[in-house]
Amino acid sequence: MKVITVREKILKANSQAARENRARFSRKRIFVINILGSPGAGKTSLLERFAQTGGIAFSVMEGDPETALDAERMEKAGASVVQIITKGSCHLDANMVQAALPRSDLDGKDFLFVENVGNLLCPASFDLGEHIRIVVLSTTEGADKPFKYPAAFKTAQSVILNKTDLLPYIDFDLDLFNRGVAQVTPKAKVFSVSCRTGEGIDELVEWIKKLKK
Amino acid sequence: MKVITVREKILKANSQAARENRARFSRKRIFVINILGSPGAGKTSLLERFAQTGGIAFSVMEGDPETALDAERMEKAGASVVQIITKGSCHLDANMVQAALPRSDLDGKDFLFVENVGNLLCPASFDLGEHIRIVVLSTTEGADKPFKYPAAFKTAQSVILNKTDLLPYIDFDLDLFNRGVAQVTPKAKVFSVSCRTGEGIDELVEWIKKLKK
């Protein structure tokens, strides 16, 4: 019982910081997208594609348990980026984002992409103050993931199915995936993309541009 | 500070239950392997291959946040299996394993494989009473993972690099992977396998057989 109480306190404190973040983002007219997904699903590759495609003025926060490897990738791609190292912690929280904001360059930007720690479970419980969430699932992870990890999918406004270029070489049950999305997160907008080939990226970029009006 | 105290209490209680489990496994002469990895890394596929290859008398515990899909797969493969549904919790703990033991058929078995929840972070902190850990990483997750998720790799006696059949179709930096393993978990035995084609499975099975003497 005590653990549950502490968890509730943590989540309550997080919600307060998330509300502060959201108010701040709205004042600055920045639309914030929290990106969830397993390790290696392609979250950073997606942001590299956004930088390459152009048309979105954005800044990035990278969350990782260790290393600044993802921030280095984003810098190479020409994006403005801040790295948050969680020191092993399994998710970002609203206070981490708040603490990183002074280092973040939001001038002239329309969007802030917050790439969460690679984890399909814990990040789902923590509101960062974002406006929407998207979850990136790669075809190689298997089609059963919406059923097995529903929390991340339930709270996402969009599901990005990445690595479609590998479909000819794997056994991905597209029907099972579609049934999982329909059951767990029926209102989510689904995009199929390949960050490797660029397939499907333009359509996704057009959808994102329309989010901020 | 309070959170840290609660965390320490949780880990201390877990260690006690893990010691009890290990003593019980030793009395029953069962060698227990805790399998860690991201969602979709191929943990269940590896166990399906072990069932198919034969030569190991084993039982399985499947840990998932939701669904009994993995247990159904193991049953189809002809293995003795118990499903633990964590109801969203991000890792197995020693008490969950202890509670599942009465349902587990260990008679005449040499090994118990405990497939942890798909998560490269939280399961690393919880001793289940296993004798060794192995971590499964798929090539499609990227070669930087040992650097970015060191905790899981540090405590593993073996690293299984799965989905080698997809290497021709992706950009996997084998040198970076090798450097990561050498830095983070230099004593771990590395196996390269493809659960899809069966490549490398025989060598891994031979290694596992020798673990119980």
Side-chain angles (χ1 to χ4, degrees):
Chain A
M1 287 303 276
K2 199 176 175 188
V3 179
I4 293 167
T5 308
V6 171
R7 188 181 151 80
E8 279 168 2
K9 274 186 191 166
I10 291 170
L11 286 175
K12 199 175 165 188
N14 184 72
S15 292
Q16 174 58 29
R19 273 194 299 273
E20 290 166 15
N21 289 352
R22 198 149 26 235
R24 199 158 156 184
F25 294 138
S26 294
R27 278 197 305 276
K28 285 180 178 281
R29 294 190 45 76
I30 296 281
F31 194 90
V32 181
I33 301 181
N34 181 3
I35 306 178
L36 275 58
S38 302
K43 303 179 290 302
T44 315
S45 301
L46 191 68
L47 294 172
E48 286 174 327
R49 274 286 169 189
F50 291 168
Q52 199 176 358
T53 304
I56 310 176
F58 69 93
S59 193
V60 177
M61 276 188 195
E62 287 288 349
D64 279 290
E66 294 291 346
T67 82
L69 289 170
D70 284 357
E72 289 164 19
R73 283 175 62 185
M74 290 317 304
E75 267 173 7
K76 264 189 200 167
S80 170
V81 62
V82 166
Q83 176 79 51
I84 303 173
I85 296 174
T86 66
K87 307 246 174 202
S89 174
C90 52
H91 60 85
L92 290 178
D93 65 36
N95 282 309
M96 292 180 198
V97 169
Q98 204 165 84
L101 271 177
R103 293 189 287 135
S104 208
D105 178 18
L106 301 177
D107 289 346
K109 305 292 194 296
D110 292 315
F111 290 89
L112 172 65
F113 293 110
V114 183
E115 182 185 332
N116 221 308
V117 172
N119 182 343
L120 214 40
L121 289 157
C122 315
S125 305
F126 288 82
D127 182 4
L128 307 180
E130 70 268 16
H131 296 101
I132 68 161
R133 287 181 185 185
I134 63 177
V135 58
V136 181
L137 177 74
S138 54
T139 56
T140 49
E141 289 172 70
D144 56 359
K145 296 301 169 291
F147 288 110
K148 286 167 78 175
Y149 300 81
F153 288 89
K154 258 181 200 164
T155 60
Q157 280 79 1
S158 173
V159 177
I160 319 283
L161 183 64
N162 184 29
K163 309 193 188 179
T164 54
D165 58 298
L166 294 175
L167 284 172
Y169 314 112
I170 61 175
D171 308 302
F172 185 81
D173 186 339
L174 192 62
D175 181 56
L176 181 68
F177 169 73
N178 287 333
R179 276 189 284 132
V181 169
Q183 181 180 311
V184 172
T185 185
K187 290 181 183 171
K189 173 90 176 148
V190 180
F191 293 92
S192 296
V193 307
S194 165
C195 290
R196 190 156 192 262
T197 67
E199 191 195 347
I201 298 292
D202 287 347
E203 195 189 336
L204 173 56
V205 165
E206 287 309 310
W207 180 76
I208 288 173
K209 279 190 204 167
K210 286 179 195 148
L211 290 171
K212 192 194 170 189
K213 279 176 188 167
Chain B
M1 285 304 275
K2 200 177 173 186
V3 179
I4 292 166
T5 308
V6 171
R7 189 181 150 81
E8 278 168 1
K9 275 185 191 167
I10 291 169
L11 287 174
K12 199 175 165 187
N14 184 72
S15 293
Q16 175 58 30
R19 273 193 299 274
E20 291 166 16
N21 289 352
R22 199 151 23 237
R24 198 156 158 185
F25 294 138
S26 294
R27 278 198 304 275
K28 285 180 177 281
R29 292 189 47 73
I30 297 281
F31 193 91
V32 181
I33 301 182
N34 182 3
I35 306 179
L36 275 58
S38 302
K43 302 180 291 300
T44 315
S45 300
L46 191 68
L47 294 171
E48 285 175 327
R49 275 285 170 190
F50 291 168
Q52 197 176 2
T53 304
I56 310 176
F58 69 92
S59 192
V60 176
M61 276 188 195
E62 287 289 349
D64 279 291
E66 294 291 348
T67 83
L69 290 168
D70 284 357
E72 288 164 19
R73 284 175 60 185
M74 290 316 305
E75 267 174 6
K76 264 189 199 167
S80 169
V81 61
V82 166
Q83 177 78 50
I84 303 173
I85 296 174
T86 66
K87 307 244 173 202
S89 174
C90 52
H91 60 84
L92 291 178
D93 65 35
N95 282 310
M96 292 179 197
V97 170
Q98 203 165 84
L101 271 176
R103 293 189 287 136
S104 208
D105 178 18
L106 301 177
D107 288 348
K109 305 292 194 297
D110 291 316
F111 290 88
L112 171 65
F113 293 108
V114 183
E115 182 184 333
N116 222 306
V117 173
N119 182 344
L120 214 41
L121 288 157
C122 315
S125 304
F126 288 81
D127 182 4
L128 307 180
E130 71 268 17
H131 296 100
I132 68 162
R133 285 181 188 186
I134 63 176
V135 59
V136 180
L137 177 74
S138 54
T139 57
T140 48
E141 289 172 69
D144 56 358
K145 295 303 169 289
F147 288 111
K148 286 168 77 176
Y149 300 81
F153 289 88
K154 258 181 197 162
T155 59
Q157 278 80 0
S158 174
V159 177
I160 319 284
L161 183 64
N162 184 29
K163 308 193 188 179
T164 53
D165 57 298
L166 295 176
L167 284 172
Y169 314 112
I170 60 174
D171 308 302
F172 185 81
D173 186 341
L174 192 61
D175 182 56
L176 181 69
F177 169 74
N178 286 332
R179 277 188 283 131
V181 170
Q183 181 180 310
V184 172
T185 186
K187 291 181 180 170
K189 173 89 174 148
V190 179
F191 293 92
S192 296
V193 307
S194 165
C195 289
R196 190 157 193 264
T197 66
E199 191 195 347
I201 299 291
D202 286 348
E203 195 189 335
L204 174 56
V205 165
E206 287 310 309
W207 180 76
I208 287 173
K209 278 190 203 167
K210 286 177 195 149
L211 289 171
K212 192 193 171 189
K213 277 177 187 166

